[in-house]
Amino acid sequence: MRNVDGTDWPRWYAEHRVLPYLRLAVDDGTVRPAEAAVFERVCERLPELAGPAEPPARLHGDLWNGNVLWGADGRAWLIDPAAHGGHRETDLAMLHLFGCPHLDEVLDGYQQQAPLADGWADRIGLHQLFPLLVHAVLFGRGYAEQALGQVRAALAR
């Protein structure tokens, strides 16, 4: 996984996250070549699908429920970061991907502190493509089908 600077998040995300793992998934047979074309179309359209441009945000980078510890007092701690700069909707999409207790409260708090751009919920699937493809390479076809569903939904918008 390359962590290089970029000035255009949609292009950077396609080139350094989605397409490299798509190639791995095709090479190992988890994603069929004809399906790869659908992912490539989404990558081409990312500039129009990704929402308004924003400055990079500091991301946790692996914000799934297993990296959120909940205290008996209701406080939460984030562990095991893969911190980097990126699009701020990405961490929230990861929380959606594998489920997270109190997700509605987390989102409400986020919206109060730093409101998200209109349509952010429609873009969750785009931000999930990278982790879904990583999981497809590691764990198989089920994740590839989930990623394929996300790209088809994005193209249907």
Side-chain angles (χ1 to χ4, degrees):
M1 183 168 48
R2 294 187 64 211
N3 282 324
V4 297
D5 289 343
T7 57
D8 177 337
W9 183 82
R11 183 170 289 116
W12 181 91
Y13 183 62
E15 290 175 8
H16 300 289
R17 292 297 183 263
V18 175
L19 293 174
Y21 279 88
L22 175 62
R23 286 183 198 100
L24 289 172
V26 170
D27 289 348
D28 73 11
T30 307
V31 171
R32 297 175 186 106
E35 295 168 337
V38 180
F39 286 90
E40 290 164 352
R41 278 197 301 278
V42 162
C43 287
E44 290 168 5
R45 290 191 52 204
L46 270 174
E48 71 184 80
L49 297 172
E54 294 188 357
R58 177 62 55 200
L59 302 182
H60 178 280
D62 192 19
L63 193 57
W64 67 288
N65 183 46
N67 285 337
V68 181
L69 301 180
W70 300 94
D73 62 359
R75 294 176 59 197
W77 291 268
L78 304 181
I79 63 168
D80 196 22
H84 64 280
H87 197 289
R88 65 194 183 116
E89 293 174 7
T90 301
D91 275 345
L92 299 175
M94 278 293 290
L95 288 176
H96 277 270
L97 183 58
F98 298 114
C100 178
H102 315 291
L103 183 56
D104 289 338
E105 291 93 337
V106 170
L107 294 172
D108 287 345
Y110 197 100
Q111 288 283 44
Q112 289 174 16
Q113 294 300 310
L116 296 161
D118 289 342
W120 71 270
D122 295 332
R123 295 185 292 274
I124 289 172
L126 293 174
H127 291 275
Q128 292 175 344
L129 291 179
F130 169 61
L132 286 171
L133 286 169
V134 170
H135 279 72
V137 169
L138 295 173
F139 304 114
R141 179 71 187 168
Y143 287 105
E145 290 174 2
Q146 193 174 352
L148 189 57
Q150 296 291 16
V151 294
R152 287 180 173 147
L155 289 173
R157 282 189 215 118

